[in-house]
Amino acid sequence: MLDRYWFGDAERISPEAPVPVVKVLRTEERAGGAANVARNVADLGAQAGLVSVIGADEAGLALRSLIAAGGIRSYLQADPQLPTTVKLRLVARQQQMARIDFESQPQSEVLAAHLDVFTQALRQHDLVILSDYGKGGLTHIVRMIEAARAAGVPVLVDPKGDDYARYAGATLLTPNRAELREVVGRWKDAADLTARAQALRQQLRLQAILLTRSEEGMTLFTDEGAWSVPAQAREVYDVSGAGDTVIAVLGTLLAAGLPLREAVRWANVAGGIVVGKLGTATVAYDELFGQGSPASARDEGDTA
């Protein structure tokens, strides 16, 4: 999707309605959604390829240009009947005043071609990240996971919605608290959370679930139990796109050969950095690894 930002000043209230009048002073475009995940991978110095469906329109051309400028290999499929998903954010005085979304579902014919392209791209990559935004681009996610696992390629999924059965067989899921609660229900304490998360993991045949918990850090659920890292002490400016950065850093470091827990520590640091930035943003290699050693973790029944 394409993220557009209109920045301006708001100094008076409209006479037409009780809303601020924003005078737009500058505009900016960024590659968003799964493209933001690919941006984060590329900014760490890794090779990223992006498989997705966009429209054959002005926004699609802008997105292609941003992807090329970011050094990302494009496997984009265009649908002449599909408008490219655009999120337009109006920002005044460093605050988001409104967000306007333009989106629709891609046609089944384009999604079928999308699956073929995905299968071809598997040969060129060491790890797959599937970012589910509920926009229709992952209609064939079951077959995509099956193809990746058959090729021996790990699969990380940023999930959406309450149908986690379609993620069965993936390597790792990265839900946040609200997303996990939608699937396993509300937990009453740390032990209950662990029991519910582990039951889900075993049911879906996952190697791990990484629960992102905002100000409480992250908790990793594996065969070894529950293991947590505390949040990085940073000022939170904007949480949009933080999940993209976390899964991108995690996937990049796993593909580079780091152990899972070490990769989680660095992904946690990256998430702490990116929430201090405006909008969908990335974390560069020097910015991440110049932070020193990541925070220590704890193997215990953490705060739920």
Side-chain angles (χ1 to χ4, degrees):
M1 60 187 71
L2 180 66
D3 285 341
R4 283 185 162 143
Y5 296 85
W6 289 0
F7 298 96
D9 288 333
E11 298 180 346
R12 62 190 180 92
I13 300 298
S14 171
E16 303 169 0
V19 295
V21 175
V22 179
K23 180 180 180 182
V24 177
L25 301 176
R26 66 182 179 91
T27 63
E28 185 176 334
E29 293 183 337
R30 302 178 189 176
N36 187 45
V37 178
R39 287 174 59 214
N40 274 274
V41 171
D43 280 2
L44 287 175
Q47 297 182 31
L50 178 64
V51 179
S52 192
V53 181
I54 61 173
D57 52 16
E58 177 271 334
L61 291 175
L63 195 50
R64 286 184 184 275
S65 178
L66 289 168
I67 290 168
I72 300 165
R73 181 181 298 175
S74 173
Y75 299 95
L76 295 177
Q77 302 296 296
D79 179 356
Q81 306 302 316
L82 174 74
T84 300
T85 297
V86 176
K87 292 184 177 180
L88 171 61
R89 295 172 175 89
L90 184 59
V91 182
R93 296 190 175 184
Q94 302 302 308
Q95 291 186 338
Q96 186 177 141
M97 309 295 289
R99 194 186 86 182
I100 305 168
D101 291 0
F102 305 86
E103 62 185 38
S104 62
Q105 296 288 320
Q107 294 182 357
S108 57
E109 292 83 357
V110 176
L111 290 173
H114 181 175
L115 183 61
D116 292 339
V117 172
F118 171 80
T119 303
Q120 296 171 14
L122 276 176
R123 307 186 188 103
Q124 307 297 324
H125 298 84
D126 299 312
L127 183 140
V128 171
I129 296 175
L130 300 176
S131 295
D132 194 349
Y133 293 91
K135 308 300 183 185
L138 291 178
T139 299
H140 300 297
I141 192 170
V142 173
R143 294 170 62 188
M144 296 169 80
I145 292 174
E146 290 174 350
R149 297 311 296 266
V153 179
V155 181
L156 275 57
V157 181
D158 190 354
K160 189 78 171 179
D162 59 2
D163 180 18
Y164 277 25
R166 62 206 207 102
Y167 305 135
T171 306
L172 180 147
L173 301 188
T174 62
N176 59 34
R177 285 179 298 192
E179 290 167 341
L180 184 63
R181 190 176 294 120
E182 188 176 358
V183 176
V184 304
R186 186 175 296 275
W187 50 86
K188 56 188 177 182
D189 54 28
D192 190 25
L193 166 60
T194 297
R196 291 170 185 257
Q198 293 287 36
L200 178 65
R201 186 180 65 82
Q202 293 166 7
Q203 176 188 348
L204 299 180
R205 307 184 308 280
L206 308 172
Q207 178 182 335
I209 292 176
L210 178 62
L211 175 62
T212 58
R213 305 172 65 182
S214 188
E215 74 282 354
E216 295 178 5
M218 301 179 181
T219 300
L220 181 68
F221 300 96
T222 66
D223 284 339
E224 299 176 356
W227 177 86
S228 295
V229 287
Q232 299 297 296
R234 281 180 168 267
E235 181 180 356
V236 177
Y237 183 72
D238 189 342
V239 298
S240 61
D244 296 340
T245 296
V246 167
I247 199 169
V249 172
L250 180 65
T252 299
L253 297 183
L254 288 176
L258 265 68
L260 178 56
R261 290 190 178 186
E262 189 71 9
V264 168
R265 287 192 181 103
W266 285 113
N268 185 52
V269 173
I273 294 171
V274 81
V275 295
K277 302 181 179 183
L278 173 65
T280 48
T282 66
V283 176
Y285 182 94
D286 292 340
E287 188 179 15
L288 175 59
F289 296 108
Q291 298 293 309
S293 299
S296 60
R298 58 187 188 274
D299 300 277
E300 41 89 2
D302 37 62
T303 303

